[in-house]
Amino acid sequence: MSTDFGFTILDSGFTYRDLQQLSDAQRHLVNWLRHQKECSLLDIAVHLCQDEDTAAKMLSPLIEQGLIQKTGEGDEASYKIKYAAKRGKPLFKQFLQKKNKNSGN
């Protein structure tokens, strides 16, 4: 999936626009996950009333698209929403870095 700016979701993280493009089941999972800080695969499987393999298969495309971030491996793995950076912040950070660099000379 691409945004109007030519970035893939993987580059930008989750936006409201991306939510609208998901299937009903994916949207339900993402909305639920938004209200959790981080969840294990077991937590997600229980919420979906599915086994862990089925839950992992549902998470896989969302992770590949960059909507959900997986941290850790095996039993230590956890999942959370990967939000897009707020617009203007990266540019503002670059401006401040450049300003600080120039004022340091």
Side-chain angles (χ1 to χ4, degrees):
M1 290 184 199
S2 295
T3 65
D4 294 340
F5 301 105
F7 299 110
T8 62
I9 293 174
L10 187 61
D11 294 332
S12 61
F14 175 77
T15 65
Y16 180 74
R17 183 178 190 162
D18 301 326
L19 182 64
Q20 296 172 326
Q21 297 173 355
L22 298 176
S23 70
D24 289 341
Q26 289 174 323
R27 192 176 314 118
H28 172 78
L29 174 58
V30 168
N31 274 326
W32 176 77
L33 196 53
R34 285 176 49 216
H35 297 292
Q36 316 301 312
K37 292 203 178 211
E38 284 190 48
C39 294
S40 68
L41 182 59
L42 179 60
D43 294 332
I44 293 168
V46 168
H47 174 73
L48 297 174
C49 299
Q50 302 288 336
D51 59 58
E52 290 181 70
D53 288 337
T54 303
K57 287 177 186 172
M58 190 170 186
L59 285 168
S60 183
L62 298 171
I63 293 168
E64 289 173 14
Q65 293 170 1
L67 298 175
I68 294 178
Q69 181 178 0
K70 178 183 177 184
T71 56
E73 292 296 324
D75 292 339
E76 301 295 318
S78 62
Y79 303 85
K80 65 181 180 179
I81 296 295
K82 181 180 174 188
Y83 290 100
K86 292 184 180 178
R87 291 183 180 166
K89 285 199 174 197
L91 186 58
F92 184 70
K93 282 184 179 180
Q94 289 174 3
F95 170 76
L96 285 178
Q97 288 172 349
K98 187 173 183 179
K99 183 179 176 190
N100 290 337
K101 189 175 183 180
N102 290 336
S103 66
N105 290 334

